[in-house]
């Protein structure tokens, strides 16, 4: 088998943009090259989020002017077709997983976003490229992942994305006799603006920068407009954090969450908010859910509990309701005088 193994050190804030750039470049001539890319991520929620985001990009690209560049913008590669995007993870039902597997195997080209459920026991026919977007849990799992390509004497390639703080993982791979060649992330950046190679001129670098900023902005705007997609992105972000903190002892000394800039990492989930703001928003949603249905109305300036414990014989308090307009009228007119009072 002929397997080319590479790694790229990618800053956290550029991970999502470079993922999209890599997939677009790989599938640009997919119909003739029969390209199939298998992308590994840590959690099922990340699979769902990335699939939803790429499909939203595909739908917008099909709409008139959906992803058209504005005035002065740089023309980039077209979005990946919706029919070429597949998603697979362990939380899916067996019938759904089988359907996805068959669809990907029958397709001439496509991208399969998956967790490690796809690293073992599945015969994924025709996979030409492996992209490990998130690190495997250890060197053994790395071997299982890259083993999905270059099968039966065919050629294949594998690329590992590393954060700057994760470079130490390469030493673990060396311990297993695995030597990876470096690919500069700038070469992936260059595909955004179709400059063909790493931009050395000031003009080429400017084109790449504009394309990178425009794509990140569009992805963030898409997530901000779609509440369901935004919530999925926030949940995927939190799932990634939990999975990263749960790495086994062999890799925990190298992969430390405190070494990652979480604000930059949030951008790789198309999120504009800082992680602290996300946590606060989640706390508010949980608090609102807990109190929903427990309290209603105000009596004597205090909130009352209407479904809490208490003696069955205790009478329910009467809830005084009034509209804002009625309250303003009472303030303006003053309290009503009793009939037969002074002056009558």
């Amino acid at each position: 088998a002929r397997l080319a193994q590479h790694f790229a050190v990618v800053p956290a804030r550029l991970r999502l943009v470079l993922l999209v750039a890599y997939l677009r470049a790989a599938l640009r001539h997919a119909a003739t090259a029969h390209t199939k890319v298998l992308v590994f991520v840590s959690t099922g929620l990340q699979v769902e989020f990335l699939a939803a985001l790429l499909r939203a990009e595909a739908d917008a690209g099909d709409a008139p002017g959906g992803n058209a560049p504005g005035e002065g913008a740089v023309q980039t590669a077209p979005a990946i077709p919706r029919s070429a995007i597949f998603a697979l993870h362990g939380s899916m039902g067996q019938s759904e997983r089988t359907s996805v597997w068959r669809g990907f195997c029958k397709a001439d080209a496509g991208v399969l976003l998956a967790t490690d459920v796809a690293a073992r026991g599945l015969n994924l026919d025709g996979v030409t490229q492996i992209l490990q977007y998130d690190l495997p849990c250890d060197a053994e799992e790395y071997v299982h992942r890259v083993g999905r390509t270059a099968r039966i004497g065919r050629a294949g390639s594998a690329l590992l994305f590393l954060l700057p703080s994760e470079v130490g993982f390469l030493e673990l791979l060396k311990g297993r006799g695995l030597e990876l060649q470096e690919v500069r992330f700038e070469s992936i950046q260059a595909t955004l603006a179709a400059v063909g190679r790493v931009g050395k001129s000031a003009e080429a670098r400017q084109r790449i920068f504009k394309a990178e900023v425009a794509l990140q902005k569009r992805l963030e705007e898409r997530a901000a407009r779609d509440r369901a997609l935004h919530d999925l992105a926030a949940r995927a972000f939190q799932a990634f954090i939990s999975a990263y903190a749960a790495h086994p002892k062999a890799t925990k000394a190298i992969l430390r969450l405190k070494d990652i800039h979480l604000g930059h990492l949030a951008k790789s989930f198309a999120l504009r908010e800082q992680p602290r703001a996300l946590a606060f928003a989640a706390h508010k949603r949980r608090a609102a859910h807990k109190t929903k249905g427990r309290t209603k109305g105000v009596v004597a300036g205090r909130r009352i509990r209407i479904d809490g414990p208490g003696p069955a014989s205790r009478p329910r308090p009467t809830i005084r309701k009034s509209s804002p307009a009625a309250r303003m009228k009472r303030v303006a007119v003053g309290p009503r005088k009793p009939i037969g009072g002074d002056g009558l």
Side-chain angles (χ1 to χ4, degrees):
R2 296 170 294 163
L3 175 62
Q5 301 181 65
H6 300 89
F7 73 91
V9 180
V10 180
R13 62 183 178 81
L14 295 179
R15 273 166 53 89
L16 183 59
V17 167
L18 294 189
L19 170 66
V20 175
Y22 176 87
L23 294 178
R24 287 183 178 180
L27 296 174
R28 183 176 298 170
H29 306 293
T32 55
H34 302 289
T35 303
K36 289 187 177 181
V37 185
L38 175 53
V39 181
F40 282 104
V41 296
S42 298
T43 70
L45 281 171
Q46 287 175 265
V47 170
E48 294 289 344
F49 161 66
L50 290 173
L53 184 65
L54 292 176
R55 286 166 182 160
E57 277 282 285
D59 293 344
D62 291 338
N67 282 335
E71 184 178 353
V74 177
Q75 181 65 49
T76 59
I80 304 165
R82 170 180 270 269
S83 60
I85 301 168
F86 301 86
L88 185 69
H89 57 82
S91 297
M92 300 167 66
Q94 183 60 47
S95 60
E96 188 177 5
R97 275 188 282 174
T98 302
S99 176
V100 170
W101 170 72
R102 287 176 178 170
F104 183 70
C105 288
K106 289 179 180 178
D108 291 330
V111 53
L112 175 62
L113 301 154
T115 58
D116 284 331
V117 70
R120 307 168 187 246
L122 287 179
N123 181 19
L124 297 169
D125 186 43
V127 174
T128 56
Q129 299 179 35
I130 300 290
L131 173 60
Q132 301 192 53
Y133 187 61
D134 292 338
L135 282 185
C137 60
D138 52 32
E140 182 180 356
E141 196 62 38
Y142 172 89
V143 173
H144 283 290
R145 286 181 174 186
V146 299
R148 299 297 91 194
T149 188
R151 300 169 71 87
I152 320 178
R154 298 175 181 173
S157 65
L159 176 62
L160 175 67
F161 271 18
L162 292 168
L163 293 171
S165 61
E166 298 173 340
V167 176
F169 189 80
L170 296 173
E171 295 300 321
L172 293 180
L173 297 181
K174 284 183 181 179
R176 291 289 302 268
L178 298 168
E179 293 280 350
L180 280 63
Q181 301 298 315
E182 183 174 8
V183 172
R184 291 179 60 191
F185 79 84
E186 291 90 348
S187 64
I188 305 175
Q189 273 182 312
T191 64
L192 280 170
V195 297
R197 55 184 297 179
V198 178
K200 293 186 178 180
S201 68
E203 182 183 356
R205 290 196 298 269
Q206 186 68 12
R207 288 179 61 192
I208 294 170
F209 176 74
K210 285 183 177 180
E212 174 190 303
V213 171
L215 178 56
Q216 180 70 38
K217 181 181 178 181
R218 189 171 73 242
L219 295 175
E220 290 179 4
E221 288 176 347
R222 198 174 302 289
R225 288 195 305 266
D226 187 333
R227 176 62 183 273
L229 181 60
H230 183 273
D231 286 351
L232 184 57
R235 290 166 57 210
F237 172 83
Q238 291 162 353
F240 173 84
I241 295 296
S242 298
Y244 203 91
H247 272 290
K249 187 176 181 180
T251 56
K252 259 188 176 178
I254 302 171
L255 310 178
R256 298 178 299 183
L257 191 59
K258 67 178 183 179
D259 294 335
I260 301 177
H261 191 300
L262 297 184
H264 290 175
L265 183 66
K267 296 187 78 66
S268 70
F269 290 85
L271 293 168
R272 294 172 175 172
E273 299 93 333
Q274 293 293 321
R276 189 175 301 173
L278 284 173
F280 179 69
H283 174 74
K284 285 180 67 177
R285 285 197 297 271
R286 287 194 298 268
H289 178 73
K290 288 180 179 179
T291 58
K292 187 178 180 181
R294 286 187 171 186
T295 59
K296 184 178 180 181
V298 174
V299 174
R302 64 184 179 85
R303 195 173 283 275
I304 61 169
R305 186 183 183 98
I306 64 173
D307 62 348
S313 59
R314 178 184 296 172
R316 287 179 176 268
T318 301
I319 300 175
R320 185 170 63 246
K321 295 181 179 179
S322 60
S323 66
R327 290 196 295 271
M328 291 298 295
K329 184 177 179 181
R330 286 200 300 271
V331 171
V333 177
R336 298 174 62 182
K337 294 183 179 180
I339 297 175
D342 295 338
L344 293 179

Coordinates of all heavy atoms in Angstrom, one line a residue, residues 1 19 28 49 53 73 80 107 156 169 201 219 225 231 239 250 254 265 267 286 301 321 336-337 342:
A1 N 0.8 -1.2 0.0 CA 0.0 0.0 0.0 C 0.9 1.2 0.0 O 1.9 1.3 0.6 CB -0.9 0.0 1.2
L19 N -10.4 23.9 7.1 CA -11.1 22.6 6.9 C -12.0 22.8 5.6 O -11.9 21.9 4.7 CB -12.0 22.3 8.0 CG -13.0 21.1 7.8 CD1 -12.3 19.8 7.6 CD2 -14.0 21.0 9.0
R28 N -12.9 19.6 -5.8 CA -13.1 20.5 -6.9 C -13.3 19.8 -8.2 O -14.1 20.1 -9.0 CB -11.9 21.5 -7.0 CG -12.1 22.6 -8.1 CD -10.9 23.5 -8.1 NE -10.9 24.3 -6.8 CZ -9.9 25.0 -6.4 NH1 -8.8 25.2 -7.2 NH2 -9.9 25.7 -5.3
F49 N -22.7 19.2 13.7 CA -22.6 20.6 13.4 C -21.9 20.8 12.1 O -22.3 21.6 11.3 CB -21.7 21.2 14.5 CG -21.1 22.5 14.2 CD1 -21.9 23.6 13.9 CD2 -19.7 22.7 14.0 CE1 -21.3 24.9 13.5 CE2 -19.2 23.9 13.6 CZ -20.0 25.0 13.4
L53 N -23.5 22.7 8.8 CA -22.8 23.9 8.3 C -22.5 23.8 6.8 O -22.8 24.7 6.0 CB -21.6 24.3 9.1 CG -20.9 25.6 8.8 CD1 -21.8 26.8 9.1 CD2 -19.6 25.7 9.5
A73 N -14.5 41.5 -3.6 CA -14.2 40.2 -2.9 C -13.5 39.3 -3.8 O -13.4 39.4 -5.1 CB -15.5 39.5 -2.4
I80 N -19.2 22.6 -1.5 CA -19.4 21.2 -1.7 C -20.9 20.9 -1.9 O -21.7 21.3 -1.1 CB -18.8 20.4 -0.5 CG1 -17.4 20.8 -0.2 CG2 -19.0 18.9 -0.7 CD1 -16.9 20.3 1.1
A107 N -21.3 6.4 -3.8 CA -21.0 7.7 -4.4 C -19.7 7.7 -5.1 O -18.8 7.0 -4.7 CB -21.0 8.8 -3.3
G156 N -3.1 6.4 -1.2 CA -3.9 7.2 -0.4 C -3.1 8.2 0.4 O -1.8 8.1 0.4
F169 N 2.5 15.6 20.2 CA 1.9 14.3 19.8 C 2.7 13.6 18.7 O 2.6 12.3 18.6 CB 0.4 14.5 19.2 CG -0.4 13.3 19.0 CD1 -1.0 12.6 20.1 CD2 -0.5 12.8 17.8 CE1 -1.7 11.5 19.9 CE2 -1.3 11.6 17.5 CZ -1.9 11.0 18.6
S201 N 4.1 37.1 -3.0 CA 4.0 38.5 -3.3 C 3.0 39.1 -2.3 O 2.1 38.4 -1.8 CB 3.5 38.7 -4.7 OG 2.2 38.3 -4.9
L219 N -19.4 32.3 7.5 CA -19.8 31.1 8.4 C -20.3 31.5 9.7 O -21.3 31.0 10.2 CB -18.6 30.2 8.6 CG -18.0 29.5 7.3 CD1 -16.7 28.8 7.6 CD2 -19.0 28.6 6.7
R225 N -27.5 33.7 12.3 CA -28.9 33.8 11.8 C -29.7 32.6 12.1 O -31.0 32.7 12.2 CB -28.9 34.1 10.3 CG -28.3 35.4 9.9 CD -28.7 35.7 8.4 NE -28.2 34.7 7.5 CZ -27.1 34.7 6.9 NH1 -26.3 35.8 7.0 NH2 -26.7 33.7 6.1
D231 N -27.2 26.9 18.2 CA -27.2 26.1 19.4 C -26.4 24.8 19.3 O -25.8 24.3 20.2 CB -28.7 25.7 19.8 CG -29.4 26.9 20.3 OD1 -28.8 27.9 20.6 OD2 -30.7 26.9 20.5
A239 N -19.0 19.9 23.8 CA -18.6 18.5 23.8 C -17.2 18.3 23.4 O -16.5 17.4 24.0 CB -19.5 17.8 22.7
A250 N -1.9 8.6 28.8 CA -0.7 8.6 27.9 C -0.5 9.9 27.2 O 0.6 10.3 26.8 CB -0.8 7.4 26.9
I254 N 0.6 15.8 27.3 CA 0.9 16.6 26.1 C -0.3 17.5 25.7 O -0.1 18.7 25.4 CB 1.2 15.7 24.9 CG1 2.4 14.8 25.2 CG2 1.5 16.5 23.6 CD1 2.7 13.7 24.2
L265 N -10.5 29.1 19.7 CA -11.2 27.8 19.4 C -12.6 27.9 19.1 O -13.2 27.2 18.2 CB -11.0 26.9 20.6 CG -11.5 25.4 20.5 CD1 -10.7 24.7 19.4 CD2 -11.5 24.7 21.8
K267 N -14.0 30.2 17.4 CA -14.2 30.6 16.0 C -14.2 29.4 15.1 O -14.7 29.4 14.0 CB -13.1 31.6 15.6 CG -13.1 32.9 16.4 CD -12.1 33.9 15.9 CE -12.6 34.5 14.6 NZ -13.8 35.4 14.8
R286 N -30.8 26.9 31.3 CA -31.1 25.8 32.3 C -32.0 26.4 33.4 O -32.9 25.7 33.9 CB -29.8 25.2 32.8 CG -29.1 24.4 31.8 CD -28.0 23.5 32.6 NE -27.0 24.4 33.2 CZ -25.9 24.8 32.6 NH1 -25.7 24.4 31.3 NH2 -25.0 25.5 33.2
G301 N -46.5 41.6 46.3 CA -45.1 41.9 45.9 C -44.1 40.8 46.0 O -42.9 41.0 45.9
K321 N -54.5 40.0 38.9 CA -53.9 40.3 37.6 C -54.5 41.6 37.1 O -55.6 41.9 37.3 CB -54.3 39.2 36.6 CG -53.7 37.9 36.8 CD -54.1 36.9 35.8 CE -53.5 35.5 36.0 NZ -54.0 34.5 35.0
R336 N -60.1 54.8 44.1 CA -61.5 55.1 44.0 C -62.1 55.4 45.4 O -61.8 54.7 46.3 CB -62.2 53.9 43.3 CG -61.7 53.6 41.9 CD -62.4 52.3 41.4 NE -63.8 52.5 41.3 CZ -64.7 51.5 40.9 NH1 -64.2 50.3 40.6 NH2 -66.0 51.7 40.9
K337 N -62.9 56.4 45.5 CA -63.5 56.7 46.7 C -64.8 55.9 47.0 O -65.5 55.6 46.0 CB -63.9 58.2 46.8 CG -62.7 59.2 46.7 CD -63.2 60.6 46.8 CE -62.0 61.5 46.7 NZ -62.4 62.9 46.8
D342 N -67.3 61.6 51.7 CA -67.4 63.0 51.9 C -67.5 63.7 50.5 O -66.9 63.2 49.5 CB -66.1 63.5 52.5 CG -66.0 63.1 54.0 OD1 -67.1 62.7 54.5 OD2 -64.9 63.0 54.5

